[in-house]
């Protein structure tokens, strides 16, 4: 038997360690959304957009579509979604800007 806050910890831990499949946690969340919400106090529904966090712009688009559906909405959720979006886009931009130099550095270092 898990407490409501523990339902966040497990998928986030899996999501943060799924470099080979970054959509794994989001896909699980979408498939199990109704059950997840059922197990939590109603006020927790506001924080569901945090499941869309990470560094994948495609997931952000999917999350905005998902949370635009009326039955997936909760009071204050729009502010949470914007916080998540800011974090995702910051990560995406950082990868675009710094990814190539970091990759080049790692290749050079490995060849030594």
């Amino acid at each position: 038997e898990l407490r409501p806050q523990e339902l966040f910890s497990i998928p986030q831990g899996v999501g943060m360690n799924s470099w080979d499949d970054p959509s794994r946690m989001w896909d699980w969340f979408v498939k199990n959304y109704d059950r997840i919400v059922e197990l939590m106090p109603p006020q927790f529904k506001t924080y569901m957009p945090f499941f869309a966090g990470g560094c994948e712009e495609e997931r952000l688009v999917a999350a905005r579509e998902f949370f635009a559906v009326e039955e997936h909405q909760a009071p204050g959720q729009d502010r949470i979604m914007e916080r998540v979006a800011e974090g995702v886009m910051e990560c995406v931009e950082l990868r675009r800007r710094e990814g190539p130099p970091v990759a080049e550095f790692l290749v050079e270092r490995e060849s030594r």
Side-chain angles (χ1 to χ4, degrees), residues 90-106:
E90 185 177 304
C91 182
V92 167
E93 291 304 318
L94 181 64
R95 272 192 183 170
R96 284 185 188 145
R97 185 181 71 240
E98 301 299 332
V102 169
E104 184 179 325
F105 169 78
L106 292 173

Side-chain angles (χ1 to χ4, degrees), residues 100-112:
V102 169
E104 184 179 325
F105 169 78
L106 292 173
V107 168
E108 287 175 12
R109 186 165 186 232
E110 190 175 276
S111 65
R112 289 183 194 171

Side-chain angles (χ1 to χ4, degrees), residues 1-109:
E1 191 74 21
L2 296 173
R3 287 177 271 180
Q5 65 270 26
E6 292 170 333
L7 289 172
F8 286 104
S9 300
I10 294 168
Q12 286 175 339
V14 169
M16 290 180 169
N17 295 306
S18 295
W19 293 101
D20 59 327
D21 186 5
S23 64
R24 182 178 182 187
M25 194 249 316
W26 175 253
D27 293 342
W28 172 86
F29 170 77
V30 170
K31 288 176 190 164
N32 294 284
Y33 178 81
D34 292 334
R35 180 72 175 132
I36 293 166
V37 170
E38 179 183 303
L39 292 170
M40 295 190 170
Q43 66 270 24
F44 278 47
K45 191 174 180 182
T46 299
Y47 302 99
M48 294 295 117
F50 281 121
F51 279 93
C55 204
E56 305 296 323
E57 197 167 1
E58 298 81 13
R59 182 171 45 241
L60 178 59
V61 170
R64 287 188 172 178
E65 290 174 9
F66 183 82
F67 291 112
V69 174
E70 189 173 343
E71 57 265 16
H72 299 155
Q73 295 176 2
Q77 196 174 57
D78 55 336
R79 291 188 301 274
I80 300 297
M81 188 69 240
E82 286 313 306
R83 284 177 51 196
V84 169
E86 287 173 14
V88 169
M89 292 313 297
E90 185 177 304
C91 182
V92 167
E93 291 304 318
L94 181 64
R95 272 192 183 170
R96 284 185 188 145
R97 185 181 71 240
E98 301 299 332
V102 169
E104 184 179 325
F105 169 78
L106 292 173
V107 168
E108 287 175 12
R109 186 165 186 232

